[in-house]
Amino acid sequence: MKVGIDLIHFATSDYALGLDTFAEEKGTDVNKYHIGIGQEQMSIAPPDEDIVTLSAKAAAPIINQIDRNDITAVLFATESGVDQSKSAGAFLHGLLKLSNRCRVVEFKHACYAGTAALQMATTMVKANPKETILVIAADIAKYDVDSSGEATQGCGAVAMLVKAEPRILAIEPGSGYYTDDVMDFWRPNKRTTALVDGKYSTKVYLNSLKQAWEHFVEETGRHFEDFDAFCYHIPFSRMTEKAHKTLVKKVGAKLSSDTFREQTAPGQVYNRVVGNSYSASLFIGFCSFLDNAIQDLTGKRFGFFSYGSGCVAEFFSGIIQPGYQQHLMTESHRQQIESRQPLDYQQYLAFYHQTDSDVENITFPHNNKGPFRLAGIENHIRRYESGIQPA
Ligand code: CAA
């Protein structure tokens, strides 16, 4: 039995800050961003957008294609949780009007947790083929103003329907993984922004890739030549180039620059303009590859490298299924990106500061243009609004 991703759709916010605007404000050469880190824009969430509203926007087009009562579990991965106790997935479950016969849980490890949720879902379906699982990876990447990470913010959510006989990607058994207790990026309780040792974090990322790859080869017996394409966790898109160069060097492959580009470039198109979305970023990269590859991907083997600072990493693989093209939601992805409203630096700062909502009572101005929004907080209870009616 094949198990994997049956449908996949991502959502991002309605606003973006151009790194040209950012560079002008900071007095920096814009090529540091456009070329040096490979980023052009970052999606910015207004105060009435959070991981719950983003994930509802990501999941709604999937739910609309199935019977929502078929969902047996929601596995919600995030670094930017909205409550220390209640899972963000429980809010999402309410907004999407899912069945009460459903389990919901939140997964956390920095940017890695989406892969943990996906692998858990795959295992659950293998154990019981009747399971139909909604896997969510959603994050708002936020660093201190004027810190090295500020240019690599962004936000996004990915929804993946995981089931038997999937229509898009069959996930293959076996993976390589690696954990090390390091401090390259972390966010103590009560902080809304991450702390990061930027240069060190890129070193740990690349070392984790080598370690996870070695384990993957030992576990599966597959080699670099068995792969057609690679999706990496993308904190900023130039990291993909650094990662793939590291892997190519490790395995001693001789690739032309055209092959190098074919194996990685389609996966970077969206992340260049969405920015980092932590746990969602690998899977937005996968959407980007599916939507932007020129050739037919049927039967192609993809390698996926997931990295979460702190650190946990995993390399796994999957095969693109026949007819996958009919199930992509390319138009929705492109339309969301293209219709974002550009912000100037002061507007970005206003959103940035208002979003710190560690308050008992607050009503948020209506900036979110999507069907789901965070209206406010009343007596510490988050109040969401939804345009979706019960089925
Ligand atoms: N034209 C062209 N290139 C330029 C340039 C110019 N005018 N000016 C600088 N550059 C190049 C630099 O040479 C450098 O290239 P290399 O990486 O090849 O050396 C690149 O632009 C970046 O310049 P700096 O190193 O000077 O930039 P920085 O000090 O501002 O830091 C960063 C870059 C460390 C990535 C920083 O953005 C950061 O801290 N980001 C957050 C942490 C992060 O994303 N880490 C990634 C790994 S951890 C992870 O993946 C988990 C996660 O999601 C956070």
Side-chain angles (χ1 to χ4, degrees):
M1 180 180 66
K2 289 179 188 170
V3 177
I5 300 174
D6 188 59
L7 290 172
I8 182 167
H9 178 251
F10 85 85
T12 191
S13 64
D14 302 312
Y15 299 88
L17 179 65
L19 284 162
D20 48 354
T21 306
F22 184 86
E24 202 179 320
E25 171 68 27
K26 305 286 175 183
T28 313
D29 180 353
V30 72
N31 286 332
K32 171 173 175 178
Y33 306 120
H34 286 181
I35 299 168
I37 61 169
Q39 289 303 120
E40 287 171 34
Q41 295 166 352
M42 40 193 180
S43 281
I44 302 294
D48 56 342
E49 183 97 86
D50 67 4
I51 53 158
V52 173
T53 59
L54 282 170
S55 61
K57 196 167 21 166
I62 292 180
I63 299 299
N64 290 341
Q65 294 178 47
I66 61 168
D67 179 347
R68 70 192 64 214
N69 293 319
D70 287 348
I71 303 284
T72 52
V74 178
L75 307 186
F76 196 118
T78 187
E79 186 272 355
S80 17
V82 294
D83 193 285
Q84 292 281 59
S85 175
K86 178 168 173 167
S87 155
F91 290 109
L92 176 68
H93 178 279
L95 282 176
L96 296 179
K97 318 279 181 206
L98 299 182
S99 161
N100 297 112
R101 289 204 169 161
C102 179
R103 293 148 293 170
V104 178
V105 70
E106 188 164 306
F107 284 62
K108 178 176 81 174
H109 185 92
C111 312
Y112 165 71
T115 297
L118 181 60
Q119 293 288 28
M120 174 72 85
T122 304
T123 308
M124 287 165 74
V125 175
K126 280 184 185 152
N128 176 5
K130 284 196 275 187
E131 299 265 12
T132 300
I133 299 179
L134 185 62
V135 172
I136 301 287
D139 270 310
I140 296 176
K142 199 168 174 190
Y143 295 93
D144 285 344
V145 169
D146 290 334
S147 70
S148 72
E150 190 187 5
T152 65
Q153 297 177 117
C155 66
V158 172
M160 296 176 271
L161 192 71
V162 175
K163 61 194 284 285
E165 305 308 335
R167 291 173 286 178
I168 293 183
L169 182 84
I171 294 174
E172 295 186 293
S175 70
Y177 32 90
Y178 175 76
T179 288
D180 195 12
D181 177 7
V182 292
M183 295 300 283
D184 60 331
F185 166 108
W186 65 104
R187 187 161 68 82
N189 287 344
K190 296 206 170 176
R191 269 194 78 101
T192 54
T193 51
L195 298 168
V196 64
D197 185 342
K199 301 260 194 272
Y200 177 54
S201 69
T202 59
K203 285 199 182 108
V204 185
Y205 176 121
L206 295 175
N207 179 52
S208 303
L209 168 61
K210 290 190 270 188
Q211 303 295 333
W213 172 259
E214 268 178 29
H215 186 214
F216 176 84
V217 172
E218 275 171 39
E219 284 292 307
T220 65
R222 288 188 206 105
H223 299 285
F224 185 83
E225 295 68 33
D226 299 325
F227 286 88
D228 302 290
F230 294 83
C231 289
Y232 293 92
H233 165 57
I234 312 181
F236 49 91
S237 53
R238 180 110 191 283
M239 195 71 216
T240 298
E241 186 192 318
K242 289 176 192 269
H244 203 50
K245 269 192 184 148
T246 300
L247 188 60
V248 168
K249 187 169 170 210
K250 176 163 179 59
V251 301
K254 300 270 175 281
L255 292 190
S256 69
S257 53
D258 282 353
T259 306
F260 189 100
R261 259 199 312 279
E262 271 166 31
Q263 290 185 345
T264 56
Q268 294 167 51
V269 176
Y270 294 155
N271 298 64
R272 270 189 86 86
V273 293
V274 166
N276 199 353
S277 54
Y278 295 163
S279 63
S281 144
L282 170 65
F283 304 104
I284 292 181
F286 180 45
C287 290
S288 178
F289 211 120
L290 293 169
D291 290 350
N292 293 292
I294 298 160
Q295 80 275 39
D296 180 3
L297 298 173
T298 306
K300 304 282 186 204
R301 175 175 283 120
F302 272 58
F304 297 90
F305 176 65
S306 178
Y307 176 73
S309 289
C311 71
V312 183
E314 182 161 346
F315 193 99
F316 64 101
S317 65
I319 306 284
I320 305 289
Q321 296 303 290
Y324 74 97
Q325 298 96 330
Q326 294 154 39
H327 309 293
L328 301 183
M329 291 183 246
T330 310
E331 212 29 61
S332 167
H333 297 152
R334 291 193 177 144
Q335 195 269 336
Q336 284 185 71
I337 287 172
E338 281 158 18
S339 63
R340 288 173 306 166
Q341 186 178 318
L343 298 174
D344 65 31
Y345 191 79
Q346 293 310 319
Q347 291 169 320
Y348 147 72
L349 274 190
F351 280 173
Y352 180 101
H353 289 301
Q354 282 172 48
T355 311
D356 291 0
S357 55
D358 184 23
V359 288
E360 196 174 327
N361 286 290
I362 190 165
T363 302
F364 291 119
H366 200 139
N367 291 298
N368 183 339
K369 301 171 189 169
F372 306 95
R373 66 181 289 273
L374 175 63
I377 299 172
E378 273 172 52
N379 300 323
H380 293 291
I381 298 172
R382 298 174 89 78
R383 298 290 184 206
Y384 290 97
E385 285 174 352
S386 151
I388 186 173
Q389 297 305 315

